[in-house]
Amino acid sequence: IATGVSADLRKKFGLGLYAPWVRASGSVKYINYNDGQRDGWLYTAAIDAGKLLTERFSVQLGYRFERRRTDDSVDIPFLVANFGIRGNAFDTDAHNLELNGMYQINQRLSLLLGYTFRTGEITSTTMRNSEIFEASDAIAADGVFGPDRFAYRISADTNIFSAGLSLAITNRMSFNISYAYQDSDA
């Protein structure tokens, strides 16, 4: 369950269909998971710019900063005492640079294509693995995926490719389907 607030300010530079626009936005959400150690705050700030290039094709370029902070982190005393590694594996910061395109196939159906380069921290889960643990800057027991599993945080660069379709059902509602492929290098 996520509850929060968001603000969005958009400015169009000129009149008409082809005028470029810029948007600044931000949000603060509290996310409550079934697992308490993931509960916490998600902060985002973004700036985007876009333009309709032809009657059917538009592009958008944007930057987004994400910060996630959990309420409770559970340290593993041995790791803190011997290696200085804390248990806040779910606290992350990331920067995203996004390029998106939309092609309007007909009045109701649009094709969406996107690319995002994300740099920052990611959290993943593994069984005991000394090589991964040595590269991590935070480790926490993670029973969500079974016993003897550990969440770890590392810095990574991620390429995200996405494609989707958006079908307008009414003037205010659409059905969307998309696929995203993510590849991280840590």
Side-chain angles (χ1 to χ4, degrees), residues 62-111:
Y63 166 79
R64 185 175 73 247
F65 175 74
E66 301 170 352
R67 172 167 282 169
R68 184 158 181 242
R69 292 296 178 260
T70 54
D71 294 338
D72 299 313
S73 62
V74 179
D75 292 335
I76 300 171
F78 172 79
L79 293 175
V80 175
N82 294 303
F83 304 102
I85 298 175
R86 307 294 306 193
N88 57 342
F90 299 100
D91 290 353
T92 58
D93 289 337
H95 301 272
N96 300 272
L97 187 58
E98 303 170 352
L99 177 61
N100 297 298
M102 182 180 76
Y103 180 75
Q104 188 174 358
I105 297 169
N106 60 39
Q107 288 242 215
R108 295 181 51 213
L109 184 63
S110 296
L111 172 66

Side-chain angles (χ1 to χ4, degrees), residues 8-185:
D8 199 80
L9 179 62
R10 184 176 166 159
K11 167 77 172 148
K12 193 171 178 183
F13 297 98
L15 298 174
L17 199 58
Y18 298 100
W21 56 267
V22 65
R23 175 179 57 207
S25 60
S27 67
V28 176
K29 293 183 201 175
Y30 185 80
I31 305 172
N32 186 1
Y33 290 90
N34 224 8
D35 170 36
Q37 71 178 349
R38 286 176 169 79
D39 294 351
W41 294 93
L42 175 62
Y43 308 94
T44 61
I47 188 159
D48 305 281
K51 183 168 181 10
L52 187 63
L53 299 178
T54 70
E55 192 173 292
R56 293 182 177 230
F57 183 66
S58 64
V59 294
Q60 178 179 330
L61 180 65
Y63 166 79
R64 185 175 73 247
F65 175 74
E66 301 170 352
R67 172 167 282 169
R68 184 158 181 242
R69 292 296 178 260
T70 54
D71 294 338
D72 299 313
S73 62
V74 179
D75 292 335
I76 300 171
F78 172 79
L79 293 175
V80 175
N82 294 303
F83 304 102
I85 298 175
R86 307 294 306 193
N88 57 342
F90 299 100
D91 290 353
T92 58
D93 289 337
H95 301 272
N96 300 272
L97 187 58
E98 303 170 352
L99 177 61
N100 297 298
M102 182 180 76
Y103 180 75
Q104 188 174 358
I105 297 169
N106 60 39
Q107 288 242 215
R108 295 181 51 213
L109 184 63
S110 296
L111 172 66
L112 313 168
L113 298 172
Y115 170 74
T116 301
F117 176 74
R118 180 185 189 278
T119 187
E121 298 157 326
I122 62 171
T123 301
S124 191
T125 299
T126 186
M127 295 179 77
R128 291 182 191 269
N129 185 317
S130 60
E131 187 177 343
I132 289 175
F133 291 172
E134 286 177 22
S136 302
D137 59 8
I139 300 170
D142 189 6
V144 169
F145 294 101
D148 201 32
R149 304 292 172 135
F150 295 88
Y152 61 94
R153 182 182 67 208
I154 56 175
S155 294
D157 291 336
T158 304
N159 293 293
I160 305 166
F161 301 91
S162 62
L165 293 170
S166 179
L167 177 64
I169 297 170
T170 69
N171 286 342
R172 297 183 184 266
M173 186 169 52
S174 65
F175 174 77
N176 302 307
I177 187 166
S178 63
Y179 174 80
Y181 173 79
Q182 299 185 28
D183 181 35
S184 294
D185 184 24

